[in-house]
Amino acid sequence: MSTGIFGLQTTISNSVRISGIGVHSGKPATIVLQPGEADQGILFERYENGKRISSFKAVADNVGPTALCTVLGTHPGEWIATIEHLMAAIYALGIDNLVISVDGAEMPIMDGSSRVFVDALDEAGIVKLSKQRSYIKVAKTVRVENGAGWAEFSPYDGTRFDVEIDFETPVIGRQKWAGDMNADTFRKELSGARTFGFMRDVEPMWARGFALGSSLENSVVIADDDRVINAEGLRYENEFVRHKTLDAVGDLAMMGMRFAGAFRSYRGGHALNAAAVRKLFETPGAAVIVSPRGALPFRLRQEGVVAAGPAS
C-alpha cells in the first residue's frame, strides 16, 4: 500500500501566518499554523482580542453545523468555521499534528481553493516525528442517503475518493472525479479548484448572514443565464466536481487520522460527508484502528473538545 498512511507522524518545521477575509462573515481573518507534538492531532484555537476563547481538536465529535461549510463547535461565540479547505491540504500533504491559532470565528477563504494553504505548509516545511502513525481501516461497507444523494465507505487497499455531482444547469451538469489520494494528486488535480455558487442565491444568502465576503476573487459564480461570469473562466474543465472532491477530503479529515478505504458519493456535500463518517463510526465492525500495536477496536468517542469557553 503506497498511500502514505504508514510510517512516522509528521508536523511542520516553522510557524506560518495566513491572512484574508472570511467568506461568510466578510471580516478580516488571520490564522497561524504552528508545529504540533506527536499524538496531538490537529488542534484549532480561537482567539478574540488576544484572549483564547475556545479550543477544538479536529475530530468528528466536534463537528457542528454543516449547511454551507464545516464548523467546529456548536455555539457561534466559540465555534470555528469554514475549516474544510485547510483540512483538505493538511490531510493530503500527510500532516498529523498541528496547532492552528485563529483570530476570529472563521478561516480566511483566500482564492476559494486549497492552493494557498498548500503553499503555506510547503513554506513551513514538513518534518517527521519519532512516533508511528495509527490509521483507520474500513472493514465493511456502510452507506447513508439523503433524497437522491448518497455517500458510502467500503474496504480498499489504499485511500480512494470517487465523487459525482449532478446539477440541472448545463454549465455543470453531471461530473465525476475519481482517484487514489496522495499529495501529488491533490496538488495537481484538486488543490486549485475553487468554491462555486449561483448569482440567484446571493441575496437570499446575504439576508441570512452568509457569503458576506464572497466575490469573484474567491468563488466561481454562475449567472442566471447559466454562464460562468468570472473573467478568467474555469481553472479545470470539471472544476466543480474537483472542488466537491476537495471538500470531501477536508470533511473526511475530521475522522481524526488517516484512513484506508474507498469513499464514494453522489450529489453529496458537507452534511452528507459528515453523516457518512458518523455511520462508519457507529456501525459495529465497520472500522478498526491499525496501530503499531496491531488492530484495535474502534471507539466512537474520540478526544473531543480540548477546552471550551473562556480561557486565559
Side-chain angles (χ1 to χ4, degrees):
M1 190 185 298
S2 59
T3 59
I5 59 177
F6 289 120
L8 295 173
Q9 295 181 34
T10 63
T11 187
I12 56 176
S13 298
N14 303 290
S15 297
V16 61
R17 179 185 298 267
I18 306 169
S19 295
I21 63 167
V23 69
H24 291 303
S25 67
K27 298 179 179 178
T30 295
I31 62 175
V32 180
L33 311 181
Q34 304 162 80
E37 299 177 355
D39 295 330
Q40 185 176 50
I42 309 301
L43 180 65
F44 285 80
E45 297 181 330
R46 175 176 171 177
Y47 287 81
E48 298 282 355
N49 299 318
K51 188 173 184 179
R52 194 177 71 178
I53 301 299
S54 59
S55 180
F56 300 95
K57 192 169 181 179
V59 294
D61 282 342
N62 289 333
V63 173
T66 53
L68 294 171
C69 62
T70 296
V71 175
L72 285 170
T74 57
H75 189 280
E78 298 175 352
W79 72 29
I80 301 170
T82 323
I83 65 168
E84 60 273 13
H85 300 169
L86 173 58
M87 287 300 298
I90 291 169
Y91 185 92
L93 269 58
I95 299 172
D96 304 291
N97 305 285
L98 205 61
V99 178
I100 302 156
S101 299
V102 184
D103 182 12
E106 190 176 12
M107 297 291 103
I109 190 61
M110 309 313 291
D111 70 347
S113 76
S114 286
R115 184 173 288 170
V116 170
F117 300 123
V118 169
D119 291 344
L121 292 167
D122 284 341
E123 177 187 340
I126 301 171
V127 295
K128 293 181 180 180
L129 299 172
S130 60
K131 285 197 174 182
Q132 293 282 329
R133 281 184 177 133
S134 298
Y135 67 91
I136 295 170
K137 179 180 179 180
V138 178
K140 65 181 182 181
T141 299
V142 296
R143 181 181 176 109
V144 293
E145 298 181 359
N146 182 13
W150 55 266
E152 70 176 23
F153 284 97
S154 58
Y156 183 73
D157 186 22
T159 303
R160 184 172 180 83
F161 284 78
D162 186 335
V163 175
E164 188 171 5
I165 61 174
D166 192 358
F167 284 79
E168 291 183 1
T169 175
V171 73
I172 302 179
R174 193 160 184 166
Q175 299 183 1
K176 180 176 180 177
W177 188 93
D180 286 7
M181 188 53 55
N182 55 54
D184 286 344
T185 296
F186 187 81
R187 290 177 193 276
K188 295 175 183 177
E189 300 194 26
L190 301 176
S191 69
R194 297 161 293 175
T195 191
F196 61 93
F198 296 87
M199 183 65 74
R200 63 175 178 267
D201 295 331
V202 170
E203 290 192 3
M205 291 180 69
W206 286 346
R208 294 165 55 199
F210 293 110
L212 300 178
S214 181
S215 72
L216 294 176
E217 295 180 355
N218 56 44
S219 304
V220 176
V221 180
I222 301 168
D224 293 343
D225 59 359
D226 293 319
R227 62 184 176 87
V228 172
I229 66 175
N230 302 66
E232 73 276 21
L234 298 175
R235 291 179 175 174
Y236 313 89
E237 181 180 358
N238 58 346
E239 184 168 0
F240 303 101
V241 73
R242 289 176 191 252
H243 185 79
K244 284 290 190 179
T245 307
L246 183 160
D247 278 346
V249 175
D251 290 341
L252 268 57
M254 301 304 294
M255 294 169 74
M257 60 183 72
R258 312 187 72 70
F259 77 96
F263 174 78
R264 297 176 62 216
S265 69
Y266 173 70
R267 297 182 69 173
H270 300 301
L272 203 54
N273 295 339
V277 171
R278 288 195 300 271
K279 182 67 176 288
L280 178 71
F281 289 175
E282 292 169 354
T283 303
V288 296
I289 294 178
V290 180
S291 76
R293 294 172 292 171
L296 303 172
F298 189 85
R299 292 183 300 177
L300 172 62
R301 189 68 190 173
Q302 304 174 64
E303 292 181 41
V305 176
V306 178
S312 57

